[in-house]
Amino acid sequence: MKVLIVGSGGREHAIAWAVAKSPKVDKIYCAPGNAGIAEYAECVDIKAMEFDKLVAFAKEKEIDLTIIGMDDPLVGGVVDAFEAEGLRVFGPRKNAAIIEGSKAFSKDLMKKYNIPTAFYENFDNKEDALAYLEKAKMPIVLKADGLALGKGVLICNTLEEAREGVKTIMEEKKFGSAGDRMVIEEFMTGREVSVLAFCDGKTIKCMTSAQDHKRAQDGDKGLNTGGMGTFSPSPFYTKEVEEFCEKYIYQPTMDAMAAEGRPFVGVLFTGLMITEDGPKVLEYNARFGDPEAQVVLPRMKNDIIEVMEACIDGRLDQIDLQFEDNAAVCVVLASDGYPVSYQKGFLIKGLENFKDKDGYYCFHAGSRQTEDGIVTNGGRVLGVTAKGADLKDARKKAYEATEWIQFDNKYMRHDIGKAIDEA
Ligand code: AMP
Ligand code: GLY
């Protein structure tokens, strides 16, 4: 069959790698893709938000399955656009992707269906938000309602900071129209875990757990980024936590979406905080996490195409989802200055070191092929993943492999997976 993948990051590279392993697949296209994805797929110059062009391309090439990697097109209704033309596509429709597209929606959903999450209020004007802050306990968390590249969350330690934060989101519109509405929520402490799950609208089957490192610098300092590294599984996601989440979070979320007339088909990403009072939902995303996909997919035993088709056809209950009994760590190699300002266009050396090395992967996040070779083309450039017998072994191997790559202004965190030592 012919598959089209929509997106251009490390996540889409990991998806392309998994799709390429499927014996069912004989041709992969990726729009727009990147220099790493080009190893498995023919990259086509169509942007993820150009729905008409994507649909026309899928029809022209007689694509059997399109996989949407990114949040923006999902929230914008790309799945509806494909379905309207009778094309097969993996991902939630617009009315279900809103679970990521509007934090106010997801908070109200959790409240209505008693799904554990932080206390909160939604606001559509600055005056009410500022008045609420006057009697609120600090620290407090401010969230722009809409999509903001994972950066629309402000954790404020003082009332003064919180007042500034409300202005940043609602007055200065730092996150654009994402800040037309906002959520103000209780600050929670605990371990964070990301759990990705395949969903067919009724059944939800979780993949192995992972943990992201969102801050730019070691010691979880600096600005929030799209993610600087991940490990899988999380030692803090115990059997007991998992059982609680299955009973009180995952299935209830599936059922809630179905009851609202918004059945969720695709990958649901639940960001959890494991607090002293038990696991609570930080956020939902309507797609694979990035870089979470880069540690989870290399450990998956199933044929990804079989699982995705089962989701689309509503027979996920028949799939036995299985993961290897090992661990994986991904360290993101970024361009120094990310996430604020950074240069592009530096030659990347050493990519050939990953060829034919079992258990080592170099997923491209921002790269471009030029006449001189592959060059950096984004803030996050590569995700270096290694599998190991356990988390410590995987971490050692991943950091060794980061040394195989050189480019000017290469930057990475040196403490990805440090939490493993505290488990
Ligand atoms: P989100 O995009 O909602 O996952 O938020 C981004 C990051 O902000 C999360 O991964 C957490 O580290 C942090 N965060 C979000 N909500 C809270 C909260 N209520 N309490 C503490 N930290 C939070
Ligand atoms: N790694 C977090 C995300 O994909 O949103």
Side-chain angles (χ1 to χ4, degrees):
M1 61 193 274
K2 292 188 212 160
V3 174
L4 168 65
I5 300 169
V6 176
S8 60
R11 164 184 45 216
E12 287 75 23
H13 191 169
I15 293 171
W17 169 82
V19 168
K21 278 198 312 176
S22 171
K24 292 178 189 285
V25 174
D26 32 50
K27 176 80 186 170
I28 310 175
Y29 295 94
C30 189
N34 65 37
I37 294 173
E39 190 184 327
Y40 313 101
E42 185 177 329
C43 294
V44 284
D45 190 17
I46 305 177
K47 295 193 182 71
M49 293 307 284
E50 294 177 324
F51 297 177
D52 291 348
K53 286 191 188 168
L54 288 172
V55 167
F57 180 83
K59 280 175 140 176
E60 182 203 322
K61 297 289 181 191
E62 297 179 328
I63 300 291
D64 299 293
L65 173 67
T66 298
I67 302 166
I68 313 295
M70 297 166 72
D71 46 6
D72 282 314
L74 289 168
V75 170
V78 72
V79 168
D80 309 61
F82 271 73
E83 286 183 347
E85 295 294 328
L87 295 163
R88 243 164 119 68
V89 54
F90 179 79
R93 291 181 188 149
K94 184 175 181 170
N95 75 351
I98 192 176
I99 200 166
E100 168 164 12
S102 167
K103 291 192 189 284
F105 169 87
S106 74
K107 295 297 292 188
D108 287 346
L109 184 86
M110 288 185 265
K111 188 175 185 179
K112 182 169 171 190
Y113 293 92
N114 288 317
I115 296 166
T117 189
F119 290 112
Y120 76 101
E121 282 295 327
N122 294 337
F123 296 93
D124 61 10
N125 71 79
K126 175 176 100 203
E127 291 69 29
D128 289 349
L130 288 171
Y132 177 84
L133 287 178
E134 296 302 316
K135 47 183 181 9
K137 210 172 108 210
M138 300 295 140
I140 199 144
V141 184
L142 313 182
K143 298 185 175 185
D145 178 53
L147 293 181
L149 297 168
K151 289 161 197 153
V153 173
L154 304 176
I155 296 178
C156 305
N157 289 308
T158 64
L159 178 58
E160 202 42 50
E161 265 178 59
R163 285 183 185 133
E164 279 304 310
V166 168
K167 283 189 196 141
T168 306
I169 293 174
M170 296 200 109
E171 193 176 289
E172 294 158 18
K173 295 278 162 115
K174 178 155 178 219
F175 310 108
S177 60
D180 290 348
R181 287 201 293 169
M182 67 183 290
V183 176
I184 301 186
E185 79 174 22
E186 168 205 9
F187 176 75
M188 300 188 285
T189 52
R191 295 283 178 184
E192 276 186 53
V193 181
S194 303
V195 178
L196 317 182
F198 288 104
C199 307
D200 73 357
K202 309 179 292 281
T203 301
I204 176 161
K205 294 220 166 167
C206 290
M207 299 177 228
T208 180
S209 63
Q211 184 181 319
D212 194 7
H213 297 68
K214 286 209 163 96
R215 301 296 194 98
Q217 294 161 19
D218 284 5
D220 289 328
K221 298 210 170 66
L223 294 172
N224 260 330
T225 70
M228 293 300 293
T230 36
F231 59 81
S232 170
S234 163
F236 307 102
Y237 191 68
T238 59
K239 199 82 211 139
E240 193 189 355
V241 170
E242 183 181 15
E243 278 167 13
F244 178 94
C245 294
E246 271 164 7
K247 191 161 170 202
Y248 297 105
I249 297 177
Y250 310 135
Q251 194 61 50
T253 304
M254 269 300 91
D255 297 344
M257 290 298 279
E260 294 290 313
R262 302 169 183 273
F264 190 98
V265 178
V267 169
L268 182 71
F269 167 143
T270 308
L272 296 165
M273 182 77 91
I274 305 177
T275 74
E276 280 190 345
D277 303 330
K280 294 186 184 179
V281 177
L282 278 168
E283 63 162 346
Y284 293 111
N285 295 314
R287 37 130 190 122
F288 281 100
D290 194 2
E292 284 88 340
Q294 301 178 46
V295 284
V296 169
L297 289 177
R299 299 185 54 225
M300 189 166 90
K301 289 185 183 173
N302 303 69
D303 177 336
I304 193 170
I305 295 293
E306 264 178 28
V307 182
M308 288 180 166
E309 295 216 285
C311 290
I312 296 170
D313 297 335
R315 46 177 178 78
L316 184 61
D317 57 337
Q318 292 163 24
I319 296 281
D320 180 16
L321 203 57
Q322 289 199 353
F323 287 81
E324 292 169 0
D325 183 20
N326 55 13
V329 170
C330 169
V331 180
V332 169
L333 304 185
S335 263
D336 199 10
Y338 172 75
V340 183
S341 67
Y342 48 85
Q343 287 172 276
K344 297 180 188 176
F346 297 116
L347 191 66
I348 304 173
K349 295 187 204 124
L351 291 166
E352 67 284 356
N353 290 316
F354 287 82
K355 274 251 165 344
D356 304 320
K357 285 236 179 47
D358 256 7
Y360 291 90
Y361 312 83
C362 185
F363 295 118
H364 293 221
S367 71
R368 194 166 58 84
Q369 183 76 51
T370 68
E371 276 179 14
D372 300 328
I374 295 178
V375 300
T376 68
N377 193 39
R380 289 191 293 176
V381 178
L382 303 168
V384 170
T385 295
K387 290 200 283 196
D390 57 22
L391 284 164
K392 284 188 181 163
D393 184 38
R395 180 175 59 185
K396 187 169 147 278
K397 289 178 168 153
Y399 272 108
E400 277 166 14
T402 62
E403 299 299 323
W404 303 346
I405 297 281
Q406 288 91 36
F407 57 85
D408 285 351
N409 290 8
K410 172 177 145 187
Y411 172 82
M412 64 181 160
R413 275 183 62 164
H414 289 89
D415 63 347
I416 301 302
K418 187 162 181 288
I420 298 163
D421 303 325
E422 297 152 24

